[in-house]
Structures are given as structure tokens and as C-alpha cells.
């Protein structure tokens, strides 16, 4: 096993531990099952964490394949330094922050769709007893919009 794999394992373990201990106080922090808006299938589990600047991010911890398709192990359609990065540990949501004016609203995030490599400016709403996260992403300067719902696991 390489040091990269070991580093990712240690990082994911630390995220899981910190997410578990903080989840009781912040409903966004913790494990979520992502639901693909185009197929309705769950493609991945992510851990949402919050950094020292109160910005939220989500890292992939588990991946699944669509029925009849091969499991995506790397971000083949991503660009730049994300090109061909392993899916496990990949940050697909970043920079999301709590909207100071609206309860359970989050703004100014960035969402990466690993299937297409497309990046979206995103906002989110926490709903139904904090069990569902509704994410809206839009390509900057475009009418290309995605609506996703993530389901809280723990």
C-alpha cells in the first residue's frame, strides 16, 4: 500500500470521527447518501464537515455504480488537478456557508459532478427534520441547472 492510500485512509477516519462528534450540534455535519437527480439512484455516500472558517464541504467515502454501468473509480471527466483523481476522498461540494438571513439555508458553494466533470455554483436547503439536503447547482452564466437531494444516513 502506498503512502497516498494510507494518507487518504487516515484523513477519512479523522473526518468520520469529527463528523460523528459534531453531528449532534450541527445537522449538516455527518454522513449523507447522494441521490442522482437524473436516475434516482444513490451513487455515493459523502461526509459533510465544516472547517475553521465555518465553510462546509463534502468528501466521497463510498461509491456505487448505476445498474448496468461500471463503478466510477476516478474522476475521468474532471479537469485540471482533479482529472483522474480517485473518487474516494474527492471533494464534490465545497465552500458552502450558512445563509445568515434564512434558517436552514446554505449559499455560495461549489458542486462538482464527477460523472460529467461539470462544476456548479450551489446553494442548499436543509428540510424535513434535517434529514434531506436539497441542493441546487447552476453553471455560472448559464441556464444549466441541477437539483439534487441528499439523504442523511446517521
Amino acid at each position: 500500500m502506498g503512502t497516498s492510500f494510507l494518507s487518504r485512509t487516515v484523513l477519512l477516519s479523522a473526518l468520520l470521527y469529527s463528523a460523528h462528534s459534531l453531528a449532534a450540534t450541527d445537522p449538516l455535519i455527518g454522513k449523507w447518501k447522494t441521490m442522482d437527480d437524473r436516475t434516482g439512484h444513490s451513487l455515493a455516500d459523502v461526509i459533510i464537515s465544516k472547517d475553521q472558517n465555518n465553510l462546509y464541504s463534502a468528501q466521497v467515502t463510498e461509491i456505487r455504480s448505476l445498474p448496468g454501468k461500471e463503478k466510477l473509480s476516478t474522476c475521468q471527466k474532471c479537469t485540471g488537478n482533479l482529472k483522474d483523481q480517485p473518487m474516494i476522498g474527492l471533494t464534490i461540494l465545497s465552500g458552502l456557508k450558512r445563509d445568515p438571513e434564512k434558517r436552514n439555508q446554505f449559499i455560495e458553494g461549489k458542486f462538482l459532478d464527477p460523472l460529467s466533470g461539470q462544476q456548479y455554483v450551489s446553494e442548499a436547503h436543509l428540510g424535513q427534520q434535517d434529514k434531506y439536503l436539497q441542493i441546487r447547482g447552476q453553471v455560472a452564466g448559464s441556464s444549466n441547472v441541477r437539483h439534487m437531494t441528499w439523504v442523511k444516513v446517521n
Side-chain angles (χ1 to χ4, degrees):
M1 287 186 207
T3 57
S4 178
F5 175 78
L6 188 56
S7 297
R8 287 187 186 277
T9 303
V10 169
L11 174 65
L12 288 174
S13 296
L15 280 172
L16 285 170
Y17 175 76
S18 64
H20 178 72
S21 61
L22 291 174
T25 59
D26 190 328
L28 200 56
I29 293 175
K31 187 173 182 180
W32 295 83
K33 185 176 298 288
T34 69
M35 305 303 289
D36 183 66
D37 58 327
R38 296 180 177 131
T39 66
H41 288 91
S42 173
L43 298 179
D45 288 351
V46 298
I47 295 288
I48 295 180
S49 59
K50 183 166 64 170
D51 68 15
Q52 66 275 12
N53 297 316
N54 291 321
L55 299 177
Y56 296 91
S57 63
Q59 286 192 307
V60 176
T61 59
E62 183 179 334
I63 55 174
R64 290 176 278 287
S65 61
L66 285 171
K69 302 254 184 176
E70 189 174 315
K71 189 187 300 188
L72 187 64
S73 61
T74 63
C75 196
Q76 299 166 356
K77 294 192 177 181
C78 290
T79 58
N81 63 346
L82 297 176
K83 176 80 174 151
D84 295 325
Q85 289 297 308
M87 288 295 297
I88 302 298
L90 185 68
T91 299
I92 62 170
L93 182 65
S94 62
L96 199 64
K97 66 180 184 180
R98 189 174 295 275
D99 186 332
E101 298 178 12
K102 298 179 183 170
R103 185 180 181 281
N104 290 336
Q105 293 280 91
F106 302 87
I107 55 174
E108 299 179 13
K110 291 181 178 62
F111 173 75
L112 168 67
D113 177 2
L115 295 178
S116 69
Q118 187 68 57
Q119 294 194 24
Y120 299 83
V121 175
S122 61
E123 55 189 39
H125 173 77
L126 196 54
Q128 294 186 354
Q129 288 96 33
D130 302 335
K131 295 189 186 297
Y132 296 93
L133 184 64
Q134 298 167 333
I135 302 170
R136 180 185 183 278
Q138 182 170 2
V139 175
S142 164
S143 60
N144 186 1
V145 176
R146 296 278 307 267
H147 294 270
M148 298 154 280
T149 299
W150 294 1
V151 180
K152 189 83 179 249
V153 174
N154 52 351

